[in-house]
Amino acid sequence: MDAFQGLLAGFQVALSWEGILFVLIGVIVGTLIGMMPGLGPISAIAIMIPITYGMDPAPALVMMAGVYYGAVFGGSTSSILLNAPGISGTVATAFDGYPMAQQGKAGKALAIAAIASFFGGTVSVILLMILAPVLSSVAISFGPPAYFALMLMGLTAISSLSEGSTIKAMISAVAGIMVVTIGIDPQTGTQRFTFGNINLLDGFDFLIIALGLFAIAEVCMLILNRKNLSLSEDQKLGSLKLTKEDLKEMSGPMTRQSMVGFIIGVLPGAGATIASFISYIFEKRIAKNPEEFGKGSIKGLAAPESSNNAATSGAFVPLLSLGIPGSGTTAVMLGAFLVLGVQPGPLLMTDRPEIFWGIIASMYVGNIFLLILNLPLIPYLAKILSIPRPLLISLVIMFSLVGVYSISFNTFDLYMLLIFGALGFAMRIFSFPAPPFILAFILGGMMEQSFRQSMTISNGNLSIFVNSPLPLALIIVSLLSLFVPVFLNWRSKKIASKNTGL
């Protein structure tokens, strides 16, 4: 009853004229920022902190929350149309969204993304309302050994991201882990692979890797295939209507991955990017036709889109309940809370219920606004495909360069963008998949940090990973996911050879 009364109080905040106005401003700004590669919600919220100083905390924080989930909602647009992820959480969206756009189904792809995003966001808000107090204690129970086992489970699924050779996928993943080790060792402060260059001390920002391997590499492929005029002729809007079969195909992945995304979002430090990759891998593993993934699969598009939007709401669980940020964006929001005189944590629900429940209720309203705003705009957004190919290539390069430069205002990052673009182009030419590289880059740093923390806690005793049931269970699942497909593949080849011999 307390939760119900709190939610009613939250809707009083969200449905007031001030609440509706600030929610609308937040989701519009977030959607626009999400569409532009490089900006991201972190920059937008950081800029809003001084602007909202002195305001009533409830509408100010409602607006910042709107920017956050609005950016994830809108980030799919550039991923689908240009293969240039607007934010890191929509990289997995490009795996099937961009191929759909190339097949003349850009309208359908954008519609699927919008509906899946709305569904994932709505389901996660309901779960946030019901489970926030309970899940905060679950999040605390995830110590370094459990985090290491979770990251290991993600890495063992690399073979699911390879379309051809598993060996090439492994090589790509090893390269990603090598790149993430560049910079200052977070535990000892030792420089690693910097070669005396101060620009490498902080390592590489994720966006440089993502835009290089996807956007710049795609530009290089377009230039290479410039004589193929059918590329620009086939990329039309297509129908926006989704058939009953499409909706039925979407329903399973949306439901499953909304749950998965929310749970992963609850874990501090995980965020929408890891959630979208894990959901994509999970859905591909259980699919009857996994070979369709990466070629314009509806399931492959709906899964990461519902998951990344669910993870954004999940990230608010540790922030609101414990005062611990669940992602980089909520870390900036934690600063906004403190600047506005609000202390997030266990007492927030009782001391400031209008803020705790106001943010949750505003997500209901914000998701409805996002769906209403984005669906009618699809025909206009898809007109990007009608832009002449030379101009489109120039725009993608410009947005990528501006986006990367805006991260740290360092020209060295632009050179790195071009180098990773050349690497991505070479990987496409020689059929090395880029997704394992990206996944290893995302998980590698967290995996190393968790492993070393575990070793520090246990004084170097590896038994720490099997003494607790949670990390032990995750490691067993990791080993099964790695060796079971290999065994099944070997068995199927053996049976096939016997049948051939007969």
Side-chain angles (χ1 to χ4, degrees), residues 20 60 63 115 118 121 124 135 142 169 282 284 297 395 405 429 485:
I20 290 175
M63 179 174 65
I115 293 170
F118 172 76
S124 64
L135 287 175
F142 258 73
F282 177 78
K284 186 175 180 180
S297 168
L395 287 173
Y405 187 71
I429 293 295

Side-chain angles (χ1 to χ4, degrees), residues 6 38 48 115 129 199 211 279 289 298 411 441:
M48 285 183 172
I115 293 170
M129 176 190 72
N199 293 298
L211 289 177
S279 292
N289 301 306
I298 291 176
T411 53
F441 182 83

Side-chain angles (χ1 to χ4, degrees), residues 69 128 174-175 205 209 264 321-322 328 359 377 387 401-402 413 416 446 462-463 472-474 476:
Y69 56 81
L128 176 62
V174 170
D205 189 273
I209 309 289
I264 294 173
S321 302
L322 302 172
I359 291 175
L377 289 175
I387 297 175
L401 292 174
V402 171
D413 289 344
M416 289 297 101
M446 293 182 65
L462 289 171
S463 64
L472 177 61
L474 291 172
I476 291 172

Side-chain angles (χ1 to χ4, degrees), residues 92-445:
T93 302
F95 296 167
D96 284 279
Y98 186 67
M100 286 185 75
Q102 288 184 308
Q103 295 165 15
K105 300 176 182 177
K108 177 179 282 190
L110 291 170
I112 291 170
I115 293 170
S117 298
F118 172 76
F119 186 87
T122 304
V123 169
S124 64
V125 172
I126 295 171
L127 294 174
L128 176 62
M129 176 190 72
I130 299 171
L131 302 175
V134 179
L135 287 175
S136 60
S137 59
V138 175
I140 293 177
S141 68
F142 258 73
Y147 265 104
F148 170 78
L150 182 65
M151 299 302 109
L152 180 65
M153 187 173 69
L155 278 178
T156 55
I158 280 174
S159 59
S160 297
L161 294 177
S162 61
E163 292 301 322
S165 170
T166 304
I167 298 298
K168 288 185 176 180
M170 294 296 180
I171 293 172
S172 180
V174 170
I177 293 175
M178 291 171 64
V179 169
V180 81
T181 59
I182 296 173
I184 295 178
D185 186 317
Q187 198 157 344
T188 65
T190 307
Q191 295 184 26
R192 302 189 297 190
F193 310 114
T194 59
F195 304 102
N197 191 327
I198 60 172
N199 293 298
L200 292 174
L201 293 179
D202 291 331
F204 297 109
D205 189 273
F206 174 79
L207 200 66
I208 297 173
I209 309 289
L211 289 177
L213 294 183
F214 287 95
I216 302 300
E218 182 64 30
V219 164
C220 293
M221 292 300 294
L222 291 175
I223 294 173
L224 183 66
N225 298 322
R226 62 188 180 277
K227 293 182 180 180
N228 189 356
L229 299 177
S230 63
L231 284 174
S232 60
E233 292 171 0
D234 290 342
Q235 288 190 353
K236 297 177 182 178
L237 172 62
S239 174
L240 299 180
K241 293 181 179 180
L242 298 178
T243 63
K244 290 182 179 179
E245 289 74 17
D246 293 336
L247 293 172
K248 185 178 179 181
E249 191 174 354
M250 291 168 55
S251 60
M254 288 194 305
T255 305
R256 287 187 293 269
Q257 305 316 323
S258 294
M259 305 285 185
V260 172
F262 178 77
I263 293 170
I264 294 173
V266 168
L267 304 177
T273 307
I274 293 176
S276 61
F277 270 92
I278 289 178
S279 292
Y280 185 86
I281 292 168
F282 177 78
E283 203 59 44
K284 186 175 180 180
R285 279 283 176 92
I286 64 173
K288 293 181 179 178
N289 301 306
E291 67 278 358
E292 294 178 359
F293 281 65
K295 301 174 183 177
S297 168
I298 291 176
K299 291 181 179 179
L301 176 56
E305 271 302 291
S306 54
S307 180
N308 60 23
N309 281 268
T312 57
S313 298
F316 279 91
V317 171
L319 176 65
L320 296 176
S321 302
L322 302 172
I324 300 172
S327 65
T329 308
T330 52
V332 178
M333 281 204 68
L334 175 60
F337 270 87
L338 299 177
V339 167
L340 293 167
V342 179
Q343 177 62 55
L347 298 178
L348 181 64
M349 190 186 300
T350 53
D351 293 348
R352 303 296 296 270
E354 77 282 1
I355 293 178
F356 183 91
W357 293 107
I359 291 175
I360 293 175
S362 71
M363 292 180 183
Y364 281 102
V365 180
N367 275 298
I368 294 171
F369 279 152
L370 284 167
L371 188 67
I372 294 172
L373 287 170
N374 279 270
L375 282 179
L377 289 175
I378 287 175
Y380 303 100
L381 294 173
K383 286 187 177 180
I384 293 173
L385 297 176
S386 64
I387 297 175
R389 189 53 54 102
L391 180 58
L392 183 61
I393 290 173
S394 304
L395 287 173
V396 172
I397 294 173
M398 184 190 73
F399 279 125
S400 298
L401 292 174
V402 171
V404 167
Y405 187 71
S406 66
I407 297 170
S408 59
F409 301 100
N410 188 350
T411 53
F412 181 80
D413 289 344
L414 300 181
Y415 296 127
M416 289 297 101
L417 173 68
L418 298 177
I419 289 174
F420 281 109
L423 175 63
F425 178 60
M427 289 172 71
R428 291 201 182 193
I429 293 295
F430 295 103
S431 302
F432 281 85
F437 186 106
I438 294 287
L439 181 64
F441 182 83
I442 294 168
L443 299 182

Side-chain angles (χ1 to χ4, degrees), residues 31-54:
T31 301
L32 294 175
I33 285 172
M35 292 178 183
M36 292 183 276
L39 294 181
I42 294 179
S43 304
I45 292 173
I47 292 169
M48 285 183 172
I49 291 176
I51 296 174
T52 56
Y53 184 76

Side-chain angles (χ1 to χ4, degrees), residues 13-96:
V13 173
L15 295 177
S16 64
W17 71 267
E18 193 177 30
I20 290 175
L21 176 64
F22 281 101
V23 169
L24 187 60
I25 292 172
V27 297
I28 290 175
V29 171
T31 301
L32 294 175
I33 285 172
M35 292 178 183
M36 292 183 276
L39 294 181
I42 294 179
S43 304
I45 292 173
I47 292 169
M48 285 183 172
I49 291 176
I51 296 174
T52 56
Y53 184 76
M55 284 178 55
D56 182 4
L61 292 169
V62 159
M63 179 174 65
M64 292 184 194
V67 171
Y68 181 26
Y69 56 81
V72 177
F73 201 106
S76 60
T77 302
S78 56
S79 292
I80 292 170
L81 298 180
L82 303 175
N83 202 25
I87 60 172
S88 59
T90 59
V91 170
T93 302
F95 296 167
D96 284 279

